[in-house]
């Protein structure tokens, strides 16, 4: 049986492209309207894996997704870095002057902020997913409406591209997590994502960071995420890479007893940047 893989969005979305890049084409894609539905589908065993965008080089972190990892107890087994080149597309025959409204996923709209500023008269509408906006234009024969989506979406649904690579900065990348219900037992991992909180006292976070430096471990990212039950308190999500696993085990030995809620979200191989 083919592996069932949940994506946020529809066929032709960036999540779809990320899933195929990592897992190949011989998989069963399960389309989910929201990140929450995606997380729930995986937690309930309706799919084997899920692909979840976590951060973008222009628009930043997708903060609610960090909370979903914890809420649904999902594990990171890999990551994908995808170049995101947004295209402005319309129903065949429509021209730039016809456009009154532009639709896309919220993150895609954020990434095209500069381009949209040049067209202040356009109504900007958030939608579930980039590919769905393209699909709707064709299926509902919408005039005066443009979608911001991938070249793949324009091909799949048959739209005309009026402007290419309209993101604010040409080098635009989104990082996706590959998620499962259980940890993978990879032998040769050299990247780890973990979450912890520290006591509200001076130097508590610095102490953890110092231990990372002492083990000669590189911290790729730190993200603070609000703890909703404790207003103005935060948990920290960090990604670390190292050469030898021993460095990581040494770090765990040093910090585990100081942190009450250390959680390993995943041990995996870094994606190709
Ligand atoms: O709408 C899509 O096509 C998606 O796959 C979603 C998404 C995101 O969630 O960030 C994925 C990559 C891009 O950053 C823009 C949108």
């Amino acid at each position: 049986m083919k592996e069932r893989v949940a994506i946020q969005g529809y066929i032709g979305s960036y999540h779809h492209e990320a899933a195929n890049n990592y897992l190949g084409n011989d998989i069963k894609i399960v389309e989910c309207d929201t990140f929450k539905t995606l997380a729930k589908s995986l937690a309930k065993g309706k799919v084997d894996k899920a692909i979840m965008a976590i951060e973008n080089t222009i628009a930043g972190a997708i903060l609610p997704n960090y909370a979903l990892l914890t809420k649904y107890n999902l594990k990171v087994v890999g990551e994908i870095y995808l170049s995101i080149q947004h295209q402005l597309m319309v129903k065949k025959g429509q021209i730039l002057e016809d456009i009154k409204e532009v639709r896309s996923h919220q993150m895609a709209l954020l990434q095209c902020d500069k381009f949209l500023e040049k067209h202040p008269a356009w109504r900007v509408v958030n939608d579930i997913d980039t590919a769905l906006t393209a699909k709707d234009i064709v299926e509902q024969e919408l005039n005066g409406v443009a979608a911001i989506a991938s070249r793949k979406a324009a091909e799949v649904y048959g739209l005309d591209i009026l402007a290419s690579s309209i993101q604010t900065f040409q080098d635009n990348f989104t990082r996706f997590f590959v998620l499962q219900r259980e940890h993978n037992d990879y032998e040769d991992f050299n990247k780890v994502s973990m979450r912890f909180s520290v006591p509200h006292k001076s130097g508590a976070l610095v102490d953890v960071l110092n231990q990372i430096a002492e083990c000669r471990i590189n911290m790729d990212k730190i993200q603070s995420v609000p703890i909703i039950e404790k207003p103005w308190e935060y948990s920290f999500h960090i990604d670390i890479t190292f050469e030898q696993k021993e460095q990581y085990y040494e770090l765990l030995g040093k910090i585990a007893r100081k942190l009450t809620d250390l959680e390993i979200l995943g041990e995996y191989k870094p994606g190709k940047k």
Side-chain angles (χ1 to χ4, degrees):
M1 205 172 78
K2 285 187 185 179
E3 196 167 34
R4 299 162 302 168
V5 181
I7 58 166
Q8 194 270 325
Y10 288 76
I11 298 299
S13 68
Y14 294 106
H15 273 83
H16 183 203
E17 208 173 319
N20 286 152
N21 282 8
Y22 190 85
L23 298 162
N25 295 329
D26 199 20
I27 50 175
K28 180 171 170 24
I29 292 288
V30 178
E31 298 168 318
C32 299
D33 277 355
T34 62
F35 284 116
K36 195 172 184 176
T37 317
L38 169 128
K40 269 190 188 169
S41 305
L42 180 58
K44 287 191 175 157
K46 291 186 182 163
V47 292
D48 308 301
K49 280 192 171 63
I51 308 292
M52 175 193 264
I54 196 74
E55 57 176 319
N56 169 264
T57 49
I58 299 177
I62 309 180
L63 221 45
N65 286 358
Y66 283 95
L68 288 175
L69 297 181
T70 308
K71 181 166 181 197
Y72 292 98
N73 197 18
L74 305 178
K75 308 299 175 212
V76 182
V77 297
E79 63 173 359
I80 306 150
Y81 293 90
L82 189 71
S83 167
I84 305 287
Q85 299 292 314
H86 292 300
Q87 322 291 323
L88 183 79
M89 58 193 73
V90 289
K91 198 182 103 181
K92 283 205 184 304
Q94 292 267 293
I95 57 170
L96 209 60
E97 287 67 30
D98 294 324
I99 299 175
K100 295 196 173 45
E101 180 178 305
V102 59
R103 300 181 185 177
S104 196
H105 186 279
Q106 186 190 16
M107 289 304 277
L109 292 170
L110 277 172
Q111 293 159 29
C112 300
D113 198 35
K114 283 247 159 62
F115 176 83
L116 293 172
E117 271 175 15
K118 289 190 222 143
H119 301 280
W122 293 355
R123 198 149 56 95
V124 177
V125 178
N126 277 346
D127 212 324
I128 288 173
D129 162 54
T130 58
L132 183 67
T133 58
K135 190 174 181 221
D136 281 350
I137 289 175
V138 175
E139 286 184 354
Q140 298 168 22
E141 297 181 36
L142 298 174
N143 290 323
V145 179
I148 293 177
S150 67
R151 193 166 284 282
K152 174 104 184 146
E155 280 165 22
V156 170
Y157 300 110
L159 285 106
D160 279 348
I161 294 177
L162 295 184
S164 287
S165 295
I166 57 167
Q167 64 277 4
T168 297
F169 194 73
Q170 288 307 294
D171 284 342
N172 179 31
F173 298 91
T174 296
R175 177 180 176 222
F176 297 82
F177 276 153
V178 183
L179 303 172
Q180 280 182 185
R181 277 179 301 284
E182 309 289 340
H183 281 293
N184 250 358
D185 45 10
Y186 292 135
E187 277 298 310
D188 57 341
F189 62 88
N190 63 327
K191 184 160 187 177
V192 171
S193 295
M194 57 173 92
R195 183 196 63 79
F196 57 85
S197 47
V198 288
H200 233 315
K201 66 173 196 214
S202 164
L205 178 61
V206 170
D207 190 24
V208 177
L209 301 185
N210 278 337
Q211 304 286 0
I212 293 174
E214 269 176 31
C215 295
R216 297 166 324 311
I217 285 176
N218 182 35
M219 189 172 69
D220 297 275
K221 156 118 185 158
I222 180 163
Q223 179 70 55
S224 67
V225 178
I227 305 175
I228 49 172
E229 321 79 72
K230 297 180 186 167
W232 313 119
E233 290 195 26
Y234 303 88
S235 66
F236 297 94
H237 283 247
I238 63 167
D239 298 322
I240 54 169
T241 43
F242 38 84
E243 276 165 22
Q244 309 290 337
K245 277 192 287 183
E246 289 65 34
Q247 293 166 267
Y248 163 57
Y249 294 131
E250 185 188 341
L251 175 71
L252 284 186
K254 286 180 171 177
I255 61 174
R257 55 200 146 81
K258 297 188 187 178
L259 304 169
T260 42
D261 64 344
L262 176 68
E263 184 191 354
I264 305 302
L265 298 167
E267 300 169 334
Y268 52 98
K269 287 184 214 147
K272 279 204 191 79
K273 276 188 183 153

